[in-house]
């Protein structure tokens, strides 16, 4: 099974990108270039800070205001809109007065309510008086929730000015980027801008990449020092923190709110919004703690005992695992799940006055496991799991601290605490020109290659005739090998710029893998019988092993980094994936199913791993789909056994021994063996197992040991004979037999008695019940006789039938009914 890199959708604001690159391209053109660079743009959405962008709303001046003659609470106003033709507007606001500058929605304007539903302003009459527009309140324009009266604007604003200019309404284009897990460097607006700049250079545009300045960073007064201790440097390779006091919690500035709203984040308050803003700006997750909840003014990065209770910001109490990295205070009280989610007891509230701001590099493996364990998928864990730039940690902290200082009137009250015991070294890679040409498929000018590397901030340390020695920047955690460098060159150069030949060269190979041919042959046979092939996941639930005594958790092959508890171990049996498929289909009213699957099971025996190939068959419901022309018949054990028999016939395996199965998977069943080798178990699946899979109807299952079958399979010779020219004759016998006599005995005795002319023996009726002696049963058996050289005479036929009857009477004590 081929596994593709799973993409995560990420929203990138074009207006935000322009903060780093002074670019005036159309959004669609930028989207095309980003896609060519490997940042696939799946869609572009237009976003407005206020829906409708207040189009049609202008600033007016109230030049007269009189009482409405037919309504006590309405006023008739005359409003100057700046076009030389004042209009009459009926207004019910108690605060409307002559001389006010007010926002006016003109005829044809569409305004939107809080739910996004629009209503159009039309000319009309209110209590007999005409109204040509609407003087608006804050909530009617989507600028707030106040509806106590109309908005009164600054008297200095010129009449006729569009309201969008007054309220700084922004229109933005948001790119929906399908980000692959390897592109950790592009998990921010700055990272996307950096990549976009490299692409623009190939288009002859060498724009400056503008990074946010932190040159104004300084400590105001050192009055709140929070110490930092990291118990295990493997958990946090770098941890930075800083204290900020005299913080005022309020709304973030409008421009920050607009940036966050554009990418789908709901603003909360200035401190939280700034941490989110910097994370999406630079790609470094940050966390702010209310400093008054940090006992002992000390942060300790550590793990706690399994089972420790901790309530996260979503008010859910969780049980911690011993490998969860936790941010604790001096008394080991947990404050935050590191890199994943904050705690409700240390979060920012309206009463927060001092904060401790964290910026760190947490171990991606630990963060990923913790996030999966607690089913938490946060913006922070998304970034830490893939690997952030360890060298960005301190810079991002300064950037956030300056914004918080500016927009909360706070004071930076400590030096930066920076735990960074071992400085990270940039990766060194050598790239061969010849290898690059070979993998790319054509030669690219060496200067072009060097320019592309420079645009990607990959430093050239040395150059030889054959290649380049390079230093990879720390933010490219995915670029470690020569092939990675070549891929970077190719995507920036442009896949569309690679020439391709109109001639296709290929080699014809002979497939000598007979095992594949055998599988295909059996698959064709099963599909001709109405079966559908399935492909189940090799990863499954650990709990399945407890459903049968035939399976043991001691033999599980466990995943080191399971995606979820449902995909924690590799399957020991093919059954459960098939039952999931049956349950899924039954829930969608598809009750008659015939499925087969070739696959492997996985086992751990004494620290050795084993893989075993299997063929599984699953049958449930009716043998055929409902039809007026087909008699309704339910699939049963004998139907499945017949199919298993045809498979062995096709494989040239015969003389199989039948014994009761020992597998607890089955309620009842048999095992077919050849010599000492068990080849297949088949039967009815234990109802205890089917109930666990929410299946109420009977399920039949056959499990072939395919590896053993392939080693034993014979070569079935196919013989071709001429069609007989003379007719066959059919005769029947109704025999009264002891209950323990089998049809197999009748079959064998028949051919022993008449080898030459007897062609077929078939059982077409069995009766047990009334009017028969106790311990007896009645078999109706048909016999087909044929002579390939002449037509049989009645005398010859009667002689053979008498001979058969005598044989049955002598050997089986049969009585002719």
């Amino acid at each position: 099974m081929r596994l593709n890199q799973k993409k995560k959708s990420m929203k990138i604001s074009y207006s935000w990108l322009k903060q780093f690159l002074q670019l005036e391209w159309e959004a669609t053109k930028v989207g095309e270039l980003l896609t060519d660079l490997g940042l696939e743009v799946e869609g572009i959405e237009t976003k407005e800070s206020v829906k409708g962008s207040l189009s049609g709303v202008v600033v007016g001046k109230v030049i007269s205001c009189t009482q409405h003659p037919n309504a006590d609470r309405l006023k008739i106003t005359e409003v100057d809109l700046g076009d030389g033709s004042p209009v009459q507007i009926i207004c019910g606001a108690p605060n409307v007065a002559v001389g006010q500058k007010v926002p006016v929605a003109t005829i044809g304007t569409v305004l939107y309510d809080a739910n996004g539903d629009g209503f159009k302003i039309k000319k009309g009459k209110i209590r007999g008086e005409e109204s040509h527009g609407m003087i608006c309140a804050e909530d009617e324009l989507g600028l707030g929730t106040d509806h106590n009266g109309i908005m009164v604007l600054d008297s200095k604003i010129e009449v006729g000015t569009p309201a969008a200019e007054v309220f700084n309404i922004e229109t933005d284009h948001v790119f929906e980027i399908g980000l692959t897990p390897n592109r950790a460097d592009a998990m921010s607006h700055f990272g996307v801008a950096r990549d976009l700049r490299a692409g623009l250079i190939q288009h002859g545009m060498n724009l400056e990449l503008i990074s946010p300045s932190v040159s104004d960073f300084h400590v105001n007064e050192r009055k709140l020092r929070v110490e930092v201790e990291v118990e295990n440097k493997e958990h946090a390779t770098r941890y930075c923190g800083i204290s900020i006091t005299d913080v005022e919690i309020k709304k973030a500035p409008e421009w920050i709110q607009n940036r966050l709203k554009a990418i789908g984040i709901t603003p909360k308050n200035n401190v939280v919004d700034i941490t989110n803003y910097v994370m999406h700006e630079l790609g470094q997750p940050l966390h702010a703690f209310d400093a008054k909840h940090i006992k002992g003014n000390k942060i300790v990065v550590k793990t706690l005992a399994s089972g420790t209770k901790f309530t996260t910001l979503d008010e859910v109490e969780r049980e911690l695992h011993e490998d969860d990295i936790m941010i604790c205070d001096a008394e080991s009280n947990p404050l935050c799940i590191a890199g994943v989610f904050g705690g409700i007891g240390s979060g920012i509230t309206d009463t927060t006055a001092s904060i401790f701001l964290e910026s760190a590099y947490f171990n991606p493996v630990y963060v990923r496991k913790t996030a999966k364990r607690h089913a938490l998928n946060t913006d922070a864990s998304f970034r830490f799991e893939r690997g952030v730039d360890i060298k960005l940690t301190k810079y991002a902290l300064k950037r956030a601290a300056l914004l918080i200082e500016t927009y909360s009137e706070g004071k930076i009250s400590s030096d930066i605490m920076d735990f960074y015991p071992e400085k990270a070294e940039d990766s060194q890679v050598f790239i061969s020109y010849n290898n690059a040409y070979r993998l790319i498929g054509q030669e690219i000018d060496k200067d072009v290659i060097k320019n592309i590397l420079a645009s990607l901030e990959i430093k050239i340390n040395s150059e030889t005739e054959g290649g380049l020695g390079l230093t990879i920047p720390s933010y490219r955690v995915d670029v470690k090998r020569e092939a990675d460098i070549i891929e970077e060159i190719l995507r920036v150069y442009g896949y569309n710029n690679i020439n391709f030949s109109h001639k296709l060269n290929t080699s014809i190979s002979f497939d000598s893998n007979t095992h594949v041919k055998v599988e295909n042959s059996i698959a064709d046979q099963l599909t001709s019988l109405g079966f559908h092939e399935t492909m189940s996941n090799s990863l499954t639930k650990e709990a399945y092993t407890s459903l049968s005594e035939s399976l043991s958790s001691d033999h599980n092959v466990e995943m080191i980094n399971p995606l979820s508890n449902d995909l924690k171990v590799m399957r020991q049996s093919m059954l459960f994936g098939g039952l999931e498929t049956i349950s899924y289909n039954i829930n969608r009213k598809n009750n008659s199913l015939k499925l087969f699957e070739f696959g492997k099971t996985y086992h751990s025996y004494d620290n050795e791993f084993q893989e075993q190939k299997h063929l599984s068959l699953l049958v449930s419901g009716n043998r055929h789909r409902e039809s007026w022309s087909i008699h309704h018949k339910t699939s049963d054990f004998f139907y499945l056994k017949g199919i298993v028999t045809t498979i062995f016939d096709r494989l040239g395996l015969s003389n199989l021994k039948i014994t009761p199965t020992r597998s607890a998977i089955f309620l009842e069943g048999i095992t077919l063996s050849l010599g000492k080798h068990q080849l297949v178990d088949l039967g009815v699946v234990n109802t205890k197992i089917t109930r666990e899979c929410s299946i109420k109807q009977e399920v039949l299952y056959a499990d072939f040991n395919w590896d053993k079958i392939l080693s034993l399979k014979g070569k079935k010779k196919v013989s071709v004979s001429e069609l007989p020219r003379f007719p066959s004759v059919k005769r029947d016998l109704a025999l009264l037999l002891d209950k323990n006599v089998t049809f197999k005995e009748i079959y064998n005795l028949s051919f022993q008695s008449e080898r030459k002319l007897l062609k077929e023996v078939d059982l077409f009726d069995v009766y047990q019940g009334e009017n028969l002696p106790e311990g007896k049963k009645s078999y109706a058996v048909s016999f087909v006789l044929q002579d390939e050289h002449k037509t049989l005479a009645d005398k010859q036929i009667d002689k053979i039938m008498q001979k058969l009857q005598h044989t049955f009477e002598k050997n089986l004590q049969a009585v002719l009914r």
Side-chain angles (χ1 to χ4, degrees):
M1 180 171 60
R2 182 175 298 157
L3 296 177
N4 295 321
Q5 294 193 80
K6 186 177 180 181
K7 294 180 181 179
K8 181 177 176 68
S9 184
M10 183 178 68
K11 294 182 183 293
I12 294 293
S13 157
Y14 190 21
S15 296
W16 204 337
L17 282 181
K18 290 180 179 179
Q19 177 181 314
F20 309 112
L21 290 172
Q22 300 299 313
L23 181 64
E24 298 302 327
W25 276 14
E26 291 289 331
T28 52
K29 190 174 181 181
V30 174
E32 290 171 1
L33 179 54
L34 288 173
T35 299
D36 289 343
L37 289 167
L39 302 177
E40 183 180 355
V41 175
E42 298 174 338
I44 303 175
E45 184 181 1
T46 300
K47 287 278 189 178
E48 300 159 324
S49 56
V50 173
K51 189 170 183 180
S53 298
L54 299 185
S55 177
V57 182
V58 298
V59 176
K61 181 178 181 181
V62 181
I63 55 180
S64 72
C65 181
T66 58
Q67 183 65 44
H68 194 293
N70 302 318
D72 294 338
R73 295 186 179 182
L74 297 179
K75 302 286 178 64
I76 300 175
T77 65
E78 191 175 8
V79 182
D80 179 11
L81 301 179
D83 58 1
S85 301
V87 296
Q88 178 174 295
I89 298 175
I90 308 302
C91 181
N95 63 329
V96 64
V98 173
Q100 291 174 336
K101 297 285 181 69
V102 293
V104 177
T106 58
I107 300 298
T109 299
V110 178
L111 298 179
Y112 296 88
D113 61 19
N115 296 322
D117 299 325
F119 60 95
K120 191 174 184 179
I121 305 300
K122 301 177 181 178
K123 175 183 175 181
K125 283 188 176 183
I126 301 177
R127 295 291 183 92
E129 297 293 335
E130 289 188 355
S131 183
H132 298 266
M134 184 172 79
I135 303 175
C136 301
E138 180 181 289
D139 64 333
E140 292 166 333
L141 295 176
L143 297 173
T145 58
D146 187 9
H147 193 69
N148 292 324
I150 59 170
M151 293 185 75
V152 180
L153 307 177
D154 191 329
S155 60
K156 296 178 182 178
I157 301 174
E158 188 176 341
V159 173
T161 302
E165 296 179 11
V166 176
F167 298 108
N168 298 317
I169 304 302
E170 293 184 10
T171 300
D172 196 1
H173 294 90
V174 177
F175 303 104
E176 190 92 16
I177 295 179
L179 194 68
T180 51
N182 64 307
R183 291 304 306 277
D185 62 297
M187 294 188 297
S188 67
H189 283 76
F190 185 75
V192 172
R194 182 171 53 205
D195 223 40
L196 182 59
R197 176 179 176 270
L200 289 169
I201 290 175
Q202 297 306 304
H203 285 74
M205 299 176 64
N206 193 352
L207 301 183
E208 179 187 0
L209 183 64
I210 304 168
S211 57
S213 174
V214 294
S215 59
D216 292 336
F217 178 86
H218 66 280
V219 179
N220 298 108
E221 52 181 322
R222 294 174 174 81
K223 64 177 184 179
L224 179 60
R225 180 183 174 89
V226 177
E227 298 290 341
V228 171
E229 177 186 345
V230 178
E231 289 192 354
N232 186 342
K233 66 182 181 182
E234 183 187 356
H235 295 160
T237 312
R238 189 175 191 183
Y239 190 98
C240 299
I242 196 169
S243 302
I244 305 174
T245 58
D246 301 328
V247 171
E248 180 185 350
I249 303 301
K250 56 185 179 180
K251 286 185 177 180
E254 194 172 350
W255 67 271
I256 287 182
Q257 291 191 52
N258 288 341
R259 289 277 190 265
L260 296 178
K261 287 177 184 176
I263 59 174
I265 296 176
T266 303
K268 293 179 174 61
N269 59 57
N270 50 355
V271 172
V272 173
D273 290 352
I274 286 169
T275 59
N276 281 329
Y277 176 84
V278 173
M279 176 175 65
H280 287 275
E281 178 185 53
L282 301 176
Q284 172 64 47
L286 303 161
H287 190 73
F289 300 88
D290 190 328
K292 69 174 176 282
H293 296 296
I294 304 176
K295 302 290 178 63
N297 286 344
K298 185 176 183 180
I299 287 290
V300 182
V301 183
K302 61 186 297 185
T303 55
L304 298 174
S306 288
T308 302
K309 305 291 186 183
F310 179 65
T311 303
T312 44
L313 284 170
D314 55 358
E315 301 183 2
V316 175
E317 185 180 75
R318 305 177 188 275
E319 282 195 10
L320 299 179
H321 186 273
E322 60 185 8
D323 289 332
D324 293 337
I325 307 173
M326 299 299 297
I327 309 300
C328 303
D329 60 20
E331 298 177 7
S332 294
N333 298 312
L335 306 174
C336 173
I337 303 177
V340 181
F341 211 20
I344 198 166
S346 62
I348 304 301
T349 66
D350 293 341
T351 62
T352 298
S354 299
I355 67 170
F356 176 76
L357 189 62
E358 163 198 280
S359 178
Y361 181 94
F362 296 114
N363 188 303
V365 174
Y366 281 86
V367 172
R368 181 169 61 252
K369 288 183 177 180
T370 295
K372 296 299 181 185
R373 265 194 296 269
H374 298 290
L376 289 170
N377 184 17
T378 62
D379 283 338
S381 67
F382 169 67
R383 286 161 174 79
F384 280 124
E385 286 174 21
R386 287 152 179 79
V388 297
D389 180 7
I390 196 169
K391 294 185 178 180
L392 188 69
T393 307
K394 190 172 183 179
Y395 170 70
L397 184 69
K398 288 182 177 181
R399 168 68 168 158
L402 284 171
L403 289 172
I404 292 173
E405 180 185 40
T406 302
Y407 296 109
S408 72
E409 288 74 47
K411 296 178 181 176
I412 297 175
S413 302
S414 75
D415 294 313
I416 292 177
M417 309 301 294
D418 188 4
F419 173 83
Y420 194 19
E422 295 179 8
K423 302 296 185 288
E425 298 291 335
D426 291 337
S427 300
Q428 308 291 319
V429 177
F430 181 84
I431 175 177
S432 161
Y433 286 126
N434 287 335
N435 285 341
Y437 301 153
R438 179 176 56 82
L439 291 178
I440 291 172
Q442 73 180 51
E443 286 195 21
I444 298 176
D445 188 271
K446 293 180 180 180
D447 289 335
V448 172
I449 289 177
K450 287 185 275 189
N451 288 336
I452 290 174
L453 293 173
S455 71
L456 292 169
E457 300 181 2
I458 296 175
K459 183 181 177 183
I460 299 174
N461 299 323
S462 60
E463 181 177 3
T464 67
E465 189 66 30
L468 301 169
L470 307 171
T471 298
I472 314 302
S474 57
Y475 59 81
R476 290 312 305 267
V477 295
D478 61 316
V479 179
K480 300 294 182 185
R481 307 167 302 160
E482 181 185 36
D484 299 330
I485 296 290
I486 296 170
E487 182 183 1
E488 290 298 294
I489 294 169
L490 181 55
R491 73 177 182 85
V492 175
Y493 181 75
Y495 293 100
N496 294 333
N497 294 324
I498 301 300
N499 298 322
F500 62 91
S501 172
H502 294 286
K503 179 183 178 183
L504 176 64
N505 295 322
T506 186
S507 57
I508 299 174
S509 60
F510 175 72
D511 183 7
S512 60
N513 190 340
T514 56
H515 290 178
V516 174
K517 291 180 180 179
V518 172
E519 284 186 21
N520 289 338
S521 174
I522 298 302
D524 289 342
Q525 178 177 345
L526 288 169
T527 52
S528 71
L529 294 171
F531 278 74
H532 294 277
E533 186 171 10
T534 63
M535 295 180 69
S536 303
N537 200 330
S538 299
L539 300 175
T540 188
K541 299 178 183 178
E542 185 178 23
Y544 282 150
T545 54
S546 65
L547 297 181
S548 172
E549 296 174 2
S550 302
L551 305 175
S552 171
S553 59
D554 294 337
H555 303 317
N556 277 337
V557 178
E558 297 186 1
M559 296 295 98
I560 297 175
N561 301 316
L563 294 172
S564 70
N565 287 330
D566 288 347
L567 302 171
K568 192 173 182 180
V569 300
M570 302 196 78
R571 64 187 177 196
Q572 288 191 49
S573 170
M574 302 279 288
L575 173 65
F576 300 102
L579 291 179
E580 288 176 357
T581 303
I582 287 180
S583 176
Y584 181 90
N585 278 272
I586 290 174
N587 290 338
R588 286 153 183 81
K589 308 301 181 184
N590 185 16
N591 299 316
S592 298
L593 299 159
K594 294 190 285 186
L595 311 174
F596 76 94
E597 178 179 4
F598 288 99
K600 290 184 177 182
T601 58
Y602 305 86
H603 313 266
S604 175
Y605 298 119
D606 299 326
N607 295 322
E608 289 187 2
F609 297 116
Q610 291 186 13
E611 297 181 14
Q612 299 171 4
K613 189 72 176 283
H614 291 259
L615 165 62
S616 67
L617 307 184
L618 282 160
V619 178
S620 187
N622 295 330
R623 297 187 186 184
H624 307 284
R625 295 187 181 276
E626 291 184 9
S627 171
W628 66 271
S629 63
I630 300 177
H631 179 65
H632 167 84
K633 198 165 186 180
T634 304
S635 299
D636 56 17
F637 169 80
F638 295 102
Y639 175 67
L640 178 63
K641 183 186 174 188
I643 291 170
V644 170
T645 302
T646 63
I647 291 173
F648 282 121
D649 286 345
R650 184 69 174 268
L651 294 169
L653 296 173
S654 57
N655 299 321
L656 300 176
K657 180 183 176 183
I658 301 176
T659 56
T661 184
R662 296 181 180 179
S663 174
I665 283 176
F666 298 100
L667 189 65
E668 54 183 354
I670 61 174
T671 298
L672 299 183
S673 306
L674 186 62
K676 298 179 180 180
H677 306 294
Q678 294 185 1
L679 301 186
V680 63
D681 291 307
L682 67 144
V684 180
V685 178
N686 197 314
T687 51
K688 172 189 172 184
I689 296 174
T690 53
R691 279 198 302 266
E692 284 294 324
C693 296
S694 303
I695 300 172
K696 296 179 181 178
Q697 64 191 50
E698 185 178 76
V699 178
L700 302 155
Y701 175 58
D703 182 21
F704 292 79
N705 183 342
W706 197 247
D707 287 329
K708 185 59 66 179
I709 288 171
L710 290 176
S711 67
L712 296 173
K713 79 170 187 68
K715 292 184 178 180
K716 180 94 172 171
K717 290 185 178 180
V718 177
S719 59
V720 179
S721 59
E722 182 183 357
L723 288 173
R725 290 181 294 169
F726 300 96
S728 61
V729 176
K730 184 177 180 182
R731 293 288 187 268
D732 302 332
L733 290 177
L735 302 172
L736 186 65
L737 303 158
D738 289 338
K739 268 189 175 181
N740 58 352
V741 174
T742 64
F743 172 69
K744 186 176 181 181
E745 292 176 87
I746 295 174
Y747 185 91
N748 291 337
L749 285 170
S750 299
F751 281 103
Q752 289 173 12
S753 177
E754 176 56 52
R755 298 177 183 273
K756 184 178 179 183
L757 300 180
L758 183 61
K759 302 300 181 182
E760 295 179 21
V761 179
D762 193 19
L763 176 67
F764 65 89
D765 188 40
V766 177
Y767 177 73
Q768 290 177 287
E770 295 180 5
N771 303 321
L772 290 181
E774 186 176 346
K776 297 291 185 177
K777 63 182 176 182
S778 174
Y779 270 7
V781 184
S782 66
F783 303 87
V784 176
L785 306 172
Q786 187 177 41
D787 191 330
E788 297 176 1
H789 305 291
K790 63 180 180 179
T791 301
L792 289 170
D794 289 341
K795 187 179 290 188
Q796 190 177 10
I797 296 169
D798 293 341
K799 184 179 180 182
I800 294 172
M801 295 307 299
Q802 289 173 7
K803 184 179 178 184
L804 289 170
Q805 181 182 340
H806 178 71
T807 301
F808 299 146
E809 290 172 349
K810 179 181 178 182
N811 293 280
L812 303 176
Q813 290 74 51
V815 177
L816 190 66
R817 292 188 69 197

